[in-house]
Amino acid sequence: MPKSASVISGNAVSLSGGYFEIGNIVIVSVFFQTNKAVTNDYLSMLSGFPIPSMTRAGMSVYAANSYNPHVQASIESTGFLRLSGTYVAGENIAVSGVYFK
């Protein structure tokens, strides 16, 4: 079973998935909907991920409804999953990746 993350300040809804830890390797696979629109900015969406060994860990992200493909995702040194770029409220987001803690 994957370990679950937590939603930050209602910024996301319909969260599914989570992460696995194998030694110092973290495997992330989450799906959620954004609850707020963001334009050329960043917003922390989820928390509870293991802290990356480096400043941040880049993730692969797919924004299903986006007319603007410039959405980026990372796990920050706080353990937060952060989205940056432009996306709309209700956007379906899938994030996956592997990093070292």
Side-chain angles (χ1 to χ4, degrees), residues 12 17-18 29 39 55 61 64 77 85 95:
S29 180
T39 303
T55 304
V61 61
S77 60
V95 177

Side-chain angles (χ1 to χ4, degrees), residues 1-86:
M1 291 294 285
K3 296 179 182 179
S4 57
S6 300
V7 173
I8 297 174
S9 302
N11 292 344
V13 294
S14 303
L15 172 63
S16 63
Y19 66 93
F20 290 96
E21 294 178 87
I22 302 171
N24 64 345
I25 297 172
V26 180
I27 303 166
V28 176
S29 180
V30 292
F31 179 85
F32 57 92
Q33 289 181 330
T34 58
N35 212 21
K36 297 179 180 177
V38 171
T39 303
N40 299 321
D41 204 352
Y42 70 90
L43 190 63
S44 293
M45 305 300 286
L46 307 175
S47 66
F49 293 95
I51 295 171
S53 62
M54 302 187 68
T55 304
R56 72 173 48 109
M59 298 281 108
S60 294
V61 61
Y62 178 71
N65 300 332
S66 185
Y67 60 90
N68 180 352
H70 302 293
V71 177
Q72 300 172 8
S74 58
I75 304 293
E76 301 295 306
S77 60
T78 55
F80 290 3
L81 184 148
R82 179 180 91 166
L83 288 185
S84 59
T86 300

